[in-house]
Amino acid sequence: MSSEPWGRVDEAGTVYVRTADGEQVVGSWQAGSPEEALAYFERKYDGLVVEIGLLERRVKTTDLSAKDATAAIDHIRHQLDEHHVVGDLDALRKRLDKLAGDVEARREQRKAAKAVQADEARRAKEDLVAEAEQLAASEQWRAAGERLRALVDTWKGLPRLDRKTDDELWHRFSHARSAFSKRRKAHFAALDAQREEARQTKEKLVAEAEALSGSTDWGPTAARYRELMADWKAAGRAQREAEEDLWNRFRGAQDIFFQGRSEVFAERDAEQRENLTRKEELVVEAEKLLPISDLKAARAAFRSVNERWEAVGHVPRDARARIEGRIHAVERAIQEAEEAEWRRTNPEARARAQGLTGQLQDAVDKLRRQIDAARAAGNNAKADKLSKELEGRQGLLDLGFWCFVLWGGCSPAAVRAFWRGAAPGANARGPAAVMCSAGAFSQRARAEVTR
């Protein structure tokens, strides 16, 4: 018979293990000595100790699930209950009990963590659904579409909830995506229709632009091209591939026309610059006639200059006023010289001036006699009125009115017109205003002459 602190072997070879509940039969040993029997079953005990130690480390250091840990504990506990080892079984049971408590605590922690995670996942999915429903009404098609795809990826990365909650949230999420997709398809369908309409409109504009490219009616055609460009901008954009091709054709037609116009205008500008040079030479030749000393020779020379001037043609617009102003100044000088010569040599005007002077003198003498008669009769008011009229008539004689008549070539009827209109005003203002009345007289007198 052999005995150890935790077990013994009796004479029949039966092996016992000592526990708190008393001895328990381990098994029968017939192959060797009792010491060997105890050693064998003690080694089996050591194996359980190692197995429990490994399980403890797995529970503490790995993410071993509570279910697997519990199954491993139950398996070891079953071996202890079968009493097939020799050792301190009660100590092993206590370690298993403690390990089972740790596993249960860990189970509760994981359960709480899973509940928190599920709550966070639910809130995250609710936020995704709310954002998706907002994006469903967006018209930022590209940005919103990309964001919705990103939301789907985020959704897939979240843990599943309970089926009912998860299905409800997914239904809302999916409905928002579908609503956005329908709106986007409708938008781009309408946009495609608009672009097709724009393409057809621009085809017509291009056809007209190409038809006008060979025109030489520069002004109206250039204006029409501006109208076509405005119509082009108002038509909107066509499809990308068609837009580029149509624009190249449209722009090419314009380039052909404007390049042709530029070439013609360049030739015209060169011709006009040459014309300007020739007209400047003619102006210099005409200006040499001033001051006029021989009117007849000046008139003939200017006629020759003017004939050559008319034959030259147009000059640049910016120089036209300047060059024509210079030639017109010479022309006016010749005209003024002709008028002065006519007034100086016109016998009719001379005779008329002498007759008018006599009429003025007779009128002055008559007024003096009337004044004397009125004063003699005691009618001082009439005498004062006639004196004022006499003052005007005398003023005309004193200022040399005959010179004015000679200058204007006026008729007696014109003088009478002056007497009827200008002279009374002159009398009212005094002799000093007589010359100021000359302008008014000149207009009235000339009207009388032409009548």
Side-chain angles (χ1 to χ4, degrees):
M1 178 178 178
S2 178
S3 178
E4 292 290 338
W6 302 108
R8 67 182 180 85
V9 181
D10 63 9
E11 293 81 356
T14 301
V15 181
Y16 296 90
V17 62
R18 296 186 179 93
T19 67
D21 296 331
E23 288 185 343
Q24 302 291 334
V25 175
V26 176
S28 178
W29 181 263
Q30 304 296 329
S33 65
E35 289 78 8
E36 291 175 345
L38 290 174
Y40 169 75
F41 287 107
E42 287 175 353
R43 285 195 300 272
K44 292 182 68 175
Y45 175 84
D46 292 338
L48 289 177
V49 171
V50 171
E51 190 174 350
I52 292 173
L54 291 174
L55 182 58
E56 289 173 337
R57 284 194 295 272
R58 288 181 65 192
V59 170
K60 291 180 180 179
T61 61
T62 67
D63 58 349
L64 181 65
S65 66
K67 180 180 179 181
D68 293 340
T70 301
I73 292 172
D74 291 342
H75 175 71
I76 297 174
R77 195 185 298 276
H78 178 70
Q79 294 182 59
L80 292 178
D81 291 341
E82 290 181 345
H83 307 106
H84 291 323
V85 298
V86 174
D88 191 354
L89 299 182
D90 294 332
L92 293 183
R93 287 191 178 93
K94 290 179 180 179
R95 289 179 64 182
L96 289 177
D97 292 341
K98 181 178 183 304
L99 184 57
D102 294 340
V103 169
E104 186 60 27
R106 185 172 180 179
R107 186 200 303 273
E108 293 299 325
Q109 291 176 355
R110 289 188 175 182
K111 184 178 179 180
K114 187 175 181 179
V116 172
Q117 185 181 28
D119 186 61
E120 292 176 350
R122 179 184 56 78
R123 289 197 299 269
K125 288 188 175 183
E126 288 175 347
D127 292 341
L128 293 179
V129 169
E131 185 176 355
E133 289 173 341
Q134 289 181 349
L135 291 173
S138 174
E139 293 184 356
Q140 301 296 324
W141 308 114
R142 175 175 296 181
E146 292 177 352
R147 181 56 184 162
L148 283 172
R149 287 191 291 272
L151 293 181
V152 171
D153 294 336
T154 303
W155 181 284
K156 292 178 179 179
L158 294 173
R160 288 185 60 84
L161 308 175
D162 61 277
R163 172 171 291 184
K164 180 181 179 181
T165 303
D166 207 65
D167 288 348
E168 289 177 353
L169 291 174
W170 173 254
H171 177 73
R172 290 174 56 192
F173 185 71
S174 179
H175 178 73
R177 292 173 60 209
S178 299
F180 175 79
S181 297
K182 290 179 181 178
R183 292 182 59 250
R184 181 174 61 180
K185 289 179 181 178
H187 168 76
F188 283 106
L191 186 61
D192 287 342
Q194 293 174 2
R195 288 176 174 173
E196 176 60 22
E197 183 179 356
R199 185 192 64 79
Q200 295 176 2
T201 300
K202 289 186 174 182
E203 286 280 5
K204 297 178 182 179
L205 296 177
V206 168
E208 184 176 354
E210 291 175 340
L212 291 173
S213 62
S215 173
T216 57
D217 195 4
W218 309 118
T221 304
R224 182 54 185 159
Y225 269 120
R226 288 192 292 271
E227 293 174 357
L228 292 178
M229 178 60 75
D231 293 342
W232 180 281
K233 294 178 179 179
R237 292 186 62 83
Q239 297 86 347
R240 180 177 299 177
E241 61 279 1
E243 179 74 17
E244 184 176 356
D245 178 65
L246 289 170
W247 172 251
N248 289 335
R249 290 173 57 194
F250 185 73
R251 191 64 181 175
Q254 291 187 85
D255 290 343
I256 292 173
F257 169 78
F258 285 108
Q259 183 177 356
R261 188 184 70 165
S262 297
E263 292 174 355
V264 172
F265 281 12
E267 294 176 0
R268 186 193 66 181
D269 292 344
E271 180 181 353
Q272 289 186 354
R273 285 193 296 271
E274 183 179 352
N275 292 343
L276 177 61
T277 301
R278 295 171 61 187
K279 285 194 173 183
E280 286 176 341
E281 294 173 353
L282 292 174
V283 167
V284 171
E285 181 180 346
E287 288 174 342
K288 290 180 179 179
L289 299 175
L290 304 178
I292 298 173
S293 57
D294 187 343
L295 178 60
K296 184 176 181 180
R299 187 186 300 115
F302 184 77
R303 186 181 299 112
S304 173
V305 170
N306 193 53
E307 290 174 353
R308 285 175 286 160
W309 179 281
E310 295 296 334
V312 169
H314 294 290
V315 299
R317 181 178 299 177
D318 57 351
R320 188 177 303 166
R322 174 178 58 82
I323 195 69
E324 291 184 353
R326 291 174 64 186
I327 196 69
H328 289 163
V330 177
E331 184 179 10
R332 285 194 301 272
I334 293 176
Q335 291 174 351
E336 290 172 359
E338 288 176 341
E339 291 176 0
E341 179 66 16
W342 180 82
R343 289 193 302 270
R344 186 179 66 82
T345 60
N346 186 4
E348 182 181 354
R350 288 176 177 273
R352 186 181 302 145
Q354 293 175 359
L356 290 175
T357 302
Q359 292 178 21
L360 284 172
Q361 184 63 54
D362 292 342
V364 168
D365 293 341
K366 181 179 179 181
L367 284 172
R368 286 175 177 170
R369 289 193 299 271
Q370 292 175 348
I371 291 171
D372 293 339
R375 292 194 184 281
N379 192 350
N380 292 328
K382 182 177 180 181
D384 292 340
K385 181 179 179 180
L386 293 173
S387 295
K388 292 181 180 179
E389 187 175 350
L390 174 62
E391 185 178 357
R393 299 294 189 274
Q394 188 64 49
L396 291 175
L397 286 175
D398 295 342
L399 291 171
F401 179 71
W402 60 271
C403 295
F404 176 79
V405 174
L406 278 177
W407 175 83
C410 298
S411 65
V415 175
R416 288 193 296 272
F418 174 75
W419 286 359
R420 289 194 301 269
N427 289 337
R429 295 188 296 272
V434 172
M435 289 303 294
C436 296
S437 301
F441 165 74
S442 176
Q443 295 178 358
R444 296 190 182 190
R446 288 182 185 274
E448 189 74 20
V449 170
T450 55
R451 189 177 63 185

